[in-house]
Amino acid sequence: MHFRNFLLVFLLLTTGPAVAQTKLYTGEALVADDSAEERQRGITAAFEQMLVKLTGRQTVLNHQGVPAMTRRASSMMQQYRYRLVDAVEPEALPQRYLRAQFDKAAVDRELRSLDLQPWNASRPRILVWLAWENQGQRSVVNTEAFPEVAQALNDAADRRGFPLRLPLFDLMDQQ
């Protein structure tokens, strides 16, 4: 699905603080296989993703102490697992993702030692109203009518640690 046909990009509204997320100390990375080398690469990438999610800033990866911290990612990991996602093309192999969960206390201690603070876990919930225009017909993106777009938005929000809501498109939303 091409995103160039979007009429409205994003209208973001905060709807108040959300419940603390349990996924803040997790990260996920695409890996080629389940070899030790790919597992270590995946853990590193998942750890970096988690740091961005925790601090709310991509620039955290440029901090002088973060590379050394990232090299110790495995020692802060509590568990990992793989998940397979079916490929879009019929002949392609499924994609393998490594999902790692890291120890909150250890990560927070490391961040504090670098004078970095995790962003508050009680984050604003974001409501996204996104309009789509196709051949003169306008539609509001919701999970039922546009599942691929809704999933892409949710995945992007999850990578940054934002709780995201799309309209339910119930009677109230339609009005």
Side-chain angles (χ1 to χ4, degrees):
M1 189 170 293
H2 295 101
F3 289 96
R4 65 178 175 234
N5 293 330
F6 283 113
L7 173 64
L8 300 175
V9 181
F10 288 90
L11 174 60
L12 300 175
L13 303 170
T14 59
T15 60
V19 178
Q21 293 186 351
T22 58
K23 299 188 292 184
L24 288 178
Y25 290 84
T26 63
E28 188 171 69
L30 179 65
V31 292
D33 53 45
D34 59 359
S35 67
E37 301 82 35
E38 275 297 290
R39 183 173 54 248
Q40 187 56 48
R41 191 191 63 70
I43 290 168
T44 299
F47 188 79
E48 289 175 345
Q49 181 190 80
M50 183 233 10
L51 289 176
V52 170
K53 190 185 316 184
L54 276 178
T55 63
R57 297 185 320 246
Q58 182 74 33
T59 58
V60 70
L61 301 177
N62 300 331
H63 188 280
Q64 64 183 6
V66 168
M69 182 180 171
T70 301
R71 286 190 292 275
R72 295 188 300 277
S74 292
S75 68
M76 291 179 266
M77 185 179 61
Q78 292 178 321
Q79 62 182 339
Y80 72 92
R81 64 181 173 88
Y82 294 100
R83 74 178 178 97
L84 294 176
V85 176
D86 290 331
V88 177
E89 289 85 35
E91 303 295 318
L93 295 173
Q95 294 181 312
R96 180 184 307 266
Y97 289 88
L98 180 142
R99 184 172 191 84
Q101 181 172 338
F102 299 93
D103 179 56
K104 178 186 183 317
V107 171
D108 287 351
R109 186 173 42 254
E110 290 277 340
L111 286 173
R112 280 192 304 274
S113 75
L114 298 175
D115 290 325
L116 295 170
Q117 294 296 318
W119 190 25
N120 188 339
S122 179
R123 297 172 180 206
R125 185 169 301 181
I126 306 297
L127 174 64
V128 176
W129 281 86
L130 183 60
W132 170 273
E133 183 176 316
N134 188 12
Q135 297 179 352
Q137 297 291 334
R138 292 181 185 165
S139 303
V140 174
V141 172
N142 61 61
T143 55
E144 288 184 26
F146 298 92
E148 302 89 13
V149 176
Q151 187 61 50
L153 289 170
N154 280 313
D155 290 347
D158 187 49
R159 282 191 302 276
R160 294 305 290 259
F162 286 108
L164 184 70
R165 292 184 65 187
L166 292 171
L168 297 173
F169 220 60
D170 57 9
L171 184 59
M172 183 182 224
D173 289 342
Q174 291 177 27
Q175 292 174 350

